[in-house]
Every structure is written in C-alpha cells, then in structure tokens.
Amino acid sequence: GLKLVVGLATNSLGILSEAAHSGLDLAAALMTFFAVRISGRPADETHHYGHGKVEGFSAFLEVLLLLATCGYIISEAIERIAGKSAQVEVNIYSFAVMGISIMIDISRSTILYRVAKKHKSQALEADALHFSSDIWSSAVVIVGLVAYKFFKFHLADSIAALMVAVLVIIVSIRLAMRTIDALLDRAPVGMRKKIVETLSQIPGTEKLDSLRIRSSGEKTFVDMRLISVSYT
C-alpha cells in the first residue's frame, strides 16, 4: 500500500513496479497459505500419496503471476525510454518506502527459508525465493532514484524498472524449473545412489529388480522390488 501511494504521488515507474510486485506477493502468500494447509492432509482413498503436489501447483501459479507482472513493467519501461513523457518526483518518501520494504523482505525471507528447510516445503521455499528477490529489486530501484535525482539521468527510473523485471524473470524461471520437476515426479538428485548403496549393505539382498522414487511435498516415496536370498 505504501509503495502504491508513493509511486502514484511521484510517478516513479520503479516504485510502481515494486508496488505491483508486492501486490502479487500478497496473492502468492495467500496461495501458499492454503496450499500448505491442503498439502498437510493425509492420504485417502483417492490420493494414495497424500496431497503434497498442491504445493508444486501453487508455486507454478506464483510463477505465472510473476511473469504477467514483468510483462506490464517491461512494456511501460520501454515506452518511457522510447520517449513517452513521464515526470518523476523523487523525494524522501521515495527512499523511505523502499528502505522499509527491504527491511521487511530480509526478515520474512529469512524466516521462510528456515521453515521451508525444516519442513522441506516447496511452496514455502518458493515464497522465500520470491521475497529474497524483492530485496535486490528494491535495491535496484533505490539506485535508479539516486541516479534520477542527483545525476539528472532521467532514464534511470525506467532502466531500474527493466532491471527489476529481468531479476524477477530469472528467479521465476529457476523456480518454474524446480516446480515442473516436482510435478513431473523427477527423482531427487543423488537419492537413487544412496538407496542402492544402503541396500548393498543389507545381508541377503541379491538383486534390486526395480526402483521408483517420487517427491510429494515434504515426503519422498520409494517403490522398489528386491530379490533376496533365503538362509536356512
């Protein structure tokens, strides 16, 4: 809300882009909240592996929201760079709102990373990654405001907005790749090797006939068939 008010008052595209970004943060956080609640439900007759995939789906929707925002920011920034008239008023409120934003983003991203690691939650990790990217994008906007006000570089605000959009796109692509891997049941890296090594140490195991691994939320499911030697 602060970013939107200050962005409209100063006509700063950089701050307005951050306001749009923060608005999507709210939507993403709400999606994550409900996704985590649903994913914690136990397995039932129709969902034999539980509801953990809801987290991956929520993270994928968050990526789509981020990319949609980037499309708007890039379009407006290019128009301004191309010559669209836009007078930006940079004042103390411009810097204050971005400073407050950075402090909040540092605290919530740190907490989210800690909880996501503890519970192995894809949805919370997505939110943590999202909010940590906000820190860098806010810093870029501040640099743009400084260049605009003190160095009279009038394209700085629009260039800063473009840089924010690029940062968000990079983060979104990284998040999308992990989310798609989870939704397509890609086996966790190194997990198969660890299982095979552990089984090789169990007496009586002759052959590993099949091994399938999938992740769903914080749980990893292993489906395997062993051929063992019977001792008499």
Side-chain angles (χ1 to χ4, degrees):
L2 287 173
K3 288 178 183 177
L4 181 61
V5 170
V6 174
L8 290 173
T10 61
N11 198 31
S12 168
L13 181 59
I15 297 178
L16 285 173
S17 68
E18 278 294 291
H21 195 177
S22 294
L24 287 180
D25 286 351
L26 175 60
L30 287 172
M31 282 196 304
T32 302
F33 175 74
F34 289 110
V36 170
R37 291 192 64 181
I38 295 172
S39 68
R41 294 176 183 174
D44 54 34
E45 293 183 358
T46 55
H47 301 86
H48 299 174
Y49 291 94
H51 298 76
K53 291 292 183 184
V54 173
E55 288 198 20
F57 184 66
S58 170
F60 185 72
L61 289 179
E62 188 170 338
V63 169
L64 295 181
L65 285 174
L66 284 169
L67 292 177
T69 306
C70 290
Y72 163 75
I73 295 171
I74 290 172
S75 174
E76 181 66 20
I78 290 175
E79 284 187 13
R80 290 194 180 189
I81 292 173
K84 181 181 177 180
S85 177
Q87 184 63 34
V88 179
E89 180 186 349
V90 181
N91 52 39
I92 186 64
Y93 300 108
S94 305
F95 295 104
V97 71
M98 298 313 301
I100 292 170
S101 175
I102 288 176
M103 288 188 290
I104 294 174
D105 287 334
I106 289 174
S107 65
R108 63 181 178 176
S109 62
T110 301
I111 294 171
L112 279 166
Y113 268 125
R114 188 184 306 141
V115 178
K117 184 177 180 180
K118 179 180 178 181
H119 297 284
K120 298 180 180 178
S121 169
Q122 290 179 338
L124 292 179
E125 183 188 359
D127 256 6
L129 181 63
H130 188 159
F131 294 143
S132 64
S133 71
D134 291 355
I135 299 170
W136 296 105
S137 61
S138 295
V140 168
V141 171
I142 290 176
V143 171
L145 293 174
V146 169
Y148 190 99
K149 183 173 181 62
F150 299 104
F151 298 96
K152 307 303 179 184
F153 182 33
H154 292 170
L155 294 180
D157 184 61
S158 298
I159 293 174
L162 276 176
M163 292 179 68
V164 170
V166 171
L167 283 171
V168 174
I169 288 173
I170 291 172
V171 171
S172 299
I173 291 174
R174 288 168 54 195
L175 176 58
M177 291 175 65
R178 290 205 304 273
T179 302
I180 292 172
D181 283 344
L183 292 174
L184 295 180
D185 289 333
R186 180 175 180 177
V189 177
M191 181 67 72
R192 181 181 179 88
K193 182 180 179 181
K194 290 181 180 179
I195 293 174
V196 171
E197 288 177 351
T198 302
L199 291 174
S200 66
Q201 300 173 10
I202 300 176
T205 301
E206 181 180 324
K207 180 183 178 183
L208 178 60
D209 193 50
S210 67
L211 175 61
R212 296 175 182 173
I213 309 167
R214 70 192 297 268
S215 295
S216 181
E218 64 177 352
K219 297 179 180 179
T220 299
F221 296 90
V222 179
D223 179 9
M224 62 184 174
R225 185 169 63 181
L226 292 173
I227 298 176
S228 60
V229 177
S230 298
Y231 291 95
T232 57

